[in-house]
Amino acid sequence: QVQLVESGGGLVQAGGSLRLSCAASGSINSINRMGWYRQAPGKRRELVAMITTSGGSTDYANSVKGRFTISRDNAKNTVYLQMNSLKPEDTAVYYCDARVGYVFSQKDYWGQGTQVTVSS
């Protein structure tokens, strides 16, 4: 099993920055990629950014490219999301995700979520 603990959410003014952290524990060696998702009121949960745990390749939603950066510290079993130039539309609950296995046996583990609120 994998457990995820998120931190770093809060209230910030438009144009400001926040850094989210996600610490993984448990069967961490089974994780092949981690990511951040968000869900705003009345909207579906959407992928924000992801990173592979081995090669470090990344992917971002078009809405956050150039503003958000995902990174990881494998020694600390932690993934970060640096959010710059925040906009009110970035307001959402942000969830950390860890994926284990491939194709037929893959499974996702989720954190509890952390609220990010951007005021105009």
Side-chain angles (χ1 to χ4, degrees):
Q1 69 280 1
V2 175
Q3 293 183 335
L4 305 173
V5 179
E6 300 144 320
S7 62
L11 174 65
V12 66
Q13 291 184 321
S17 299
L18 284 174
R19 179 179 294 168
L20 305 183
S21 299
C22 176
S25 61
S27 301
I28 56 176
N29 291 334
S30 64
I31 301 173
N32 55 58
R33 74 179 188 183
M34 298 185 68
W36 289 93
Y37 290 72
R38 68 185 182 187
Q39 187 168 23
K43 295 185 177 181
R44 297 178 179 178
R45 186 175 299 185
E46 64 175 349
L47 174 68
V48 177
M50 62 84 65
I51 186 170
T52 61
T53 56
S54 57
S57 60
T58 60
D59 194 18
Y60 297 91
N62 288 333
S63 60
V64 306
K65 287 181 179 178
R67 300 188 298 118
F68 291 10
T69 302
I70 188 171
S71 61
R72 86 277 190 266
D73 186 337
N74 287 340
K76 297 181 178 180
N77 306 127
T78 301
V79 172
Y80 306 93
L81 184 66
Q82 179 67 46
M83 305 184 293
N84 298 325
S85 302
L86 283 163
K87 305 175 180 180
E89 49 263 45
D90 294 319
T91 296
V93 178
Y94 285 70
Y95 298 89
C96 181
D97 166 67
R99 178 167 290 180
V100 302
Y102 292 96
V103 190
F104 303 112
S105 61
Q106 67 182 24
K107 179 179 176 63
D108 287 289
Y109 294 89
W110 297 91
Q112 294 297 311
T114 183
Q115 177 70 47
V116 172
T117 302
V118 184
S119 62
S120 59

